[in-house]
Amino acid sequence: MKIVDYLKQSQRTVFSFEILPPLKGQSIQSIFDAIDPLMEFKPAFIDVTYHREEYVFRQLPNGLLEKHVVYKRPGTVGICAAIMNKYKVEAVPHIICGGFNKEETENALIDLSFLGIENILVLRGDPIKNEPHFMPTPGGHTYAIELLEQVVNMNNGKYLDPELKLPFKTNFCIGVAGYPEKHFEAPNLKTDMHYLKMKVEKGAHYIVTQMFFDNKVYFNFVEKCREMGIHVPIIPGLKPLSSKKQLSALPSTFHIDIPEELVKEVEKCKDNEQVKQVGNEWCVMQSKELMEKGVPCLHYYTMGRSEAIKYIASKVF
Ligand code: FAD
């Protein structure tokens, strides 16, 4: 079922979460172990992230360094198919621009469609580690909106090869990312939101936000979106804090603020066990308020910590 249809027909705020593929070499059991404890909350859908290739340098016997391409977390599409097969829940693969030319993207979308995957989250993708900026793949897309246009074209039966005879129309429900505190490369929030609006006008069906720790940030963002004519569902993304280190790591990685009150609470903690408790309670508080305001869905970034999400979901759903 398409996520937008699920949200439309649901009378209440639904639960969903995002998982990461395991590191190469681990079995899919680690994914099932992460999902199993959360199934009692009847997730509407489960997102699976996509991770780009990385470059590593290995020393040769002559002392020179050789560059190798490694994929540390492959398996997004396979995991999605396995989730749908095992749990009968919609799985949402993240599809990114980086690392794919248009032909490869088209073929990946055909695979997804053949597997019965109807929902995708369309993103530009992060830059490769060690690269200062996002560099488009030759023959690929520079912005999420271009990738989105390719998907919309396929939904309309338009493929890259104009000579295909009666190509079948894919049927993807398309999500895109939104940044209540602005994408870090955007010169200002208004410009960033202008591009978000373009993504919606070009055919995005819903938005999932970057994590935030202050609900006011989300409420203001939604209000501004509605004022400028963005009327699709805006799903809040939430993550519980779990360590003191994250007080600086999350802002530097995700370009978000952590409210002073939460920082003070975390700083008082003696160890990370206490931080987890503070982080979980904060997330419960955020979730309850968002639910009271009638958000369509609460979407949790598990980052491999299902036990925290299980605790939060048990207090909220
Ligand atoms: P875009 O929408 O392309 O925007 C990127 C920047 O360009 C923004 O500053 C925007 O304002 C600007 N912009 C957009 N369109 C144009 C245009 N036409 N002309 C000029 N400027 C423009 N990354 C991964 O690698 N894998 C994942 O699985 C993943 N999952 C994510 C899930 C969520 C919910 C979120 C919020 C992010 C996720 N990311 C993931 C991170 C994301 O790929 C990065 O934040 C990336 O830097 C931007 O992606 P985007 O789709 O928002 O890009």
Side-chain angles (χ1 to χ4, degrees):
M1 186 185 229
K2 290 185 172 181
I3 284 165
V4 274
D5 292 336
Y6 194 106
L7 298 180
K8 229 180 266 166
Q9 75 171 42
S10 175
Q11 305 293 315
R12 56 178 186 92
T13 302
V14 300
F15 169 67
S16 69
F17 59 92
E18 175 189 290
I19 54 167
L20 274 66
L23 285 167
K24 193 182 258 186
Q26 289 179 16
S27 89
I28 196 160
Q29 191 54 44
S30 61
I31 289 294
F32 298 151
D33 291 345
I35 295 176
D36 285 343
L38 301 176
M39 286 310 293
E40 65 178 284
F41 307 106
K42 301 191 172 38
F45 58 93
I46 301 173
D47 273 47
V48 185
T49 54
Y50 189 92
H51 298 262
R52 274 198 79 170
E53 71 275 26
E54 291 179 31
Y55 297 133
V56 294
F57 292 89
R58 295 192 186 126
Q59 197 162 27
L60 297 172
N62 62 7
L64 291 175
L65 292 175
E66 193 173 59
K67 189 172 166 186
H68 288 265
V69 176
V70 289
Y71 286 84
K72 291 195 175 164
R73 291 185 185 272
T76 302
V77 175
I79 292 168
C80 285
I83 289 173
M84 291 184 46
N85 186 38
K86 183 172 160 73
Y87 299 100
K88 315 293 175 221
V89 169
E90 292 302 331
V92 186
H94 292 189
I95 305 295
I96 64 171
C97 303
F100 294 88
N101 64 32
K102 289 174 198 157
E103 186 75 33
E104 288 162 342
T105 296
E106 184 171 273
N107 293 341
L109 291 165
I110 290 170
D111 279 346
L112 293 175
S113 174
F114 286 175
L115 283 166
I117 292 171
E118 284 190 301
N119 298 287
I120 53 177
L121 191 73
V122 163
L123 301 144
R124 187 193 68 180
D126 289 324
I128 299 184
K129 273 190 190 140
N130 309 330
E131 269 183 2
H133 306 291
F134 176 82
M135 313 267 276
T137 297
H141 299 297
T142 306
Y143 294 108
I145 196 164
E146 298 169 3
L147 172 54
L148 182 131
E149 282 180 290
Q150 185 174 6
V151 181
V152 171
N153 280 341
M154 287 177 70
N155 277 353
N156 290 321
K158 195 171 159 204
Y159 289 61
L160 295 172
D161 178 355
E163 291 183 4
L164 291 183
K165 297 272 176 287
L166 293 175
F168 90 107
K169 295 180 179 177
T170 55
N171 190 27
F172 291 112
C173 170
I174 310 165
V176 291
Y179 302 83
E181 294 173 78
K182 176 180 104 59
H183 183 260
F184 70 102
E185 291 165 24
N188 56 63
L189 183 60
K190 205 166 172 196
T191 307
D192 199 26
M193 290 178 74
H194 159 77
Y195 291 119
L196 179 62
K197 187 174 182 208
M198 270 171 61
K199 289 195 274 192
V200 173
E201 284 171 349
K202 292 278 180 191
H205 298 103
Y206 69 99
I207 296 165
V208 184
T209 75
Q210 181 59 281
M211 68 180 76
F212 56 88
F213 291 89
D214 179 350
N215 284 351
K216 273 195 233 98
V217 163
Y218 169 83
F219 296 134
N220 289 340
F221 177 68
V222 174
E223 200 183 318
K224 283 195 188 112
C225 283
R226 300 311 183 215
E227 277 168 16
M228 63 191 289
I230 300 174
H231 294 296
V232 297
I234 303 177
I235 298 175
L238 296 172
K239 180 202 141 38
L241 264 177
S242 58
S243 70
K244 276 197 186 182
K245 217 172 108 187
Q246 288 180 345
L247 288 183
S248 56
L250 295 180
S252 84
T253 308
F254 298 104
H255 310 275
I256 45 136
D257 274 4
I258 300 181
E260 194 186 359
E261 194 187 334
L262 176 57
V263 174
K264 280 187 182 154
E265 288 300 310
V266 170
E267 279 172 347
K268 275 191 239 156
C269 294
K270 290 199 189 78
D271 54 31
N272 282 339
E273 276 318 301
Q274 284 189 5
V275 177
K276 281 179 191 158
Q277 284 171 20
V278 168
N280 287 353
E281 294 309 329
W282 188 273
C283 195
V284 168
M285 184 267 293
Q286 277 193 281
S287 305
K288 283 186 173 168
E289 191 190 15
L290 288 161
M291 203 182 225
E292 273 165 29
K293 299 275 183 194
V295 298
C297 174
L298 288 167
H299 185 69
Y300 295 92
Y301 299 112
T302 64
M303 294 186 166
R305 290 189 60 236
S306 337
E307 76 288 355
I309 308 304
K310 181 179 165 79
Y311 172 81
I312 294 156
S314 73
K315 298 281 174 193
V316 178
F317 289 95

